[in-house]
């Protein structure tokens, strides 16, 4: 499986790179490696189910952000700032405000019945 980057280049999909991005976003946050490994497994399973030989990177980033939003809001903002290429403080404020409007239980405990979740 190949990942098609924003600039059109292609590179082999690497699970380790995906995990590394989550680890970096969660640096110095109270998130266990087991939680991150599970998130990577879920993302890989979703991507594999697509049966695509080439996956645009724009399909991967939102899946990572979805997981991080449920795992740790600070890690979510960190990742989103890089993925969305924030240019100013206003963009950070918008994301933080959207988190503030999300019920805390939704942030800390993802819906167990959403599609793609493991039991």
């Amino acid at each position: 499986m190949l990942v098609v980057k924003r600039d059109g280049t292609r590179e082999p999909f690497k699970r380790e790179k995906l995990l590394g991005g989550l680890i970096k976003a969660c640096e110095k946050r109270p998130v266990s490696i087991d939680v991150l490994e599970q998130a990577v497994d879920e993302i890989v399973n979703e991507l594999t189910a697509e049966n695509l030989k080439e996956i645009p990177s724009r399909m991967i980033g939102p899946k990572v952000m979805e997981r991080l939003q449920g795992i740790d809001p600070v890690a979510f903002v960190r990742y989103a700032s890089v993925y969305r290429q924030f240019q100013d403080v206003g963009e950070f404020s918008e994301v933080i405000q959207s988190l503030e409007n999300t019920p805390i239980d939704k942030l800390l405990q993802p819906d167990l019945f959403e599609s793609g979740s493991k039991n």
Side-chain angles (χ1 to χ4, degrees), residues 47-103:
L47 294 172
T48 304
E50 297 283 336
N51 286 326
L52 299 173
K53 292 180 182 178
E54 294 186 342
I55 298 173
S57 60
R58 69 179 183 275
M59 287 179 66
I60 300 170
K63 291 180 186 303
V64 172
M65 289 192 299
E66 180 183 332
R67 296 310 184 295
L68 285 175
Q69 188 172 6
I71 292 170
D72 186 272
V74 171
F76 166 76
V77 172
R78 287 178 180 168
Y79 187 89
S81 71
V82 174
Y83 178 74
R84 294 183 184 168
Q85 301 177 338
F86 288 176
Q87 300 298 315
D88 60 45
V89 175
E91 292 177 87
F92 277 99
S93 296
E94 289 174 17
V95 169
I96 291 168
Q97 187 173 5
S98 74
L99 286 173
E100 289 174 346
N101 294 331
T102 303

Side-chain angles (χ1 to χ4, degrees), residues 16-29 31 33 36 40 64 68 72 74-82:
E16 306 81 39
K17 187 172 179 179
L18 181 60
L19 179 59
L22 273 87
I23 289 171
K24 187 174 236 178
C26 293
E27 189 173 359
K28 297 184 181 181
R29 300 296 302 155
V31 179
I33 191 70
L36 298 179
V40 169
V64 172
L68 285 175
D72 186 272
V74 171
F76 166 76
V77 172
R78 287 178 180 168
Y79 187 89
S81 71
V82 174

